[in-house]
Amino acid sequence: MNLFENMDTFVKIVDLQSMSAAADRLGLAKSVVSRRLKDLESHLGAELFRRTTRQLVLTDTGHAYYL
């Protein structure tokens, strides 16, 4: 796990409001972006996004981490 890559991926997801858009911008597969986010959440011990099939919503913890 590269913490800085995972953090950069998180910032891209927030900025673009989409994991797919972040994957495109970073030139990565969506699965890689998803794994990086999951690794970061595991490292922090906190959920940064609430995910549904149609939405990606930043949690309060995710918002605080982004700032």
Side-chain angles (χ1 to χ4, degrees):
M1 175 180 97
N2 184 323
L3 182 58
F4 293 111
E5 284 180 347
N6 295 348
M7 291 167 63
D8 183 53
T9 301
F10 168 72
V11 170
K12 287 281 190 268
I13 294 168
V14 174
D15 288 347
L16 299 172
Q17 300 178 4
S18 164
M19 283 209 286
S20 295
D24 289 343
R25 179 73 55 93
L26 293 167
L28 300 170
K30 187 178 174 193
S31 61
V32 173
V33 170
S34 180
R35 188 172 346 136
R36 285 184 180 180
L37 178 59
K38 188 174 183 177
D39 287 348
L40 181 60
E41 288 176 326
S42 178
H43 174 77
L44 297 173
E47 186 179 55
L48 300 173
F49 288 99
R50 267 187 239 90
R51 300 166 189 77
T52 68
T53 55
R54 297 184 184 265
Q55 276 188 322
L56 188 66
V57 179
L58 201 57
T59 63
D60 290 340
T61 303
H63 182 71
Y65 188 71
Y66 179 74
L67 295 176

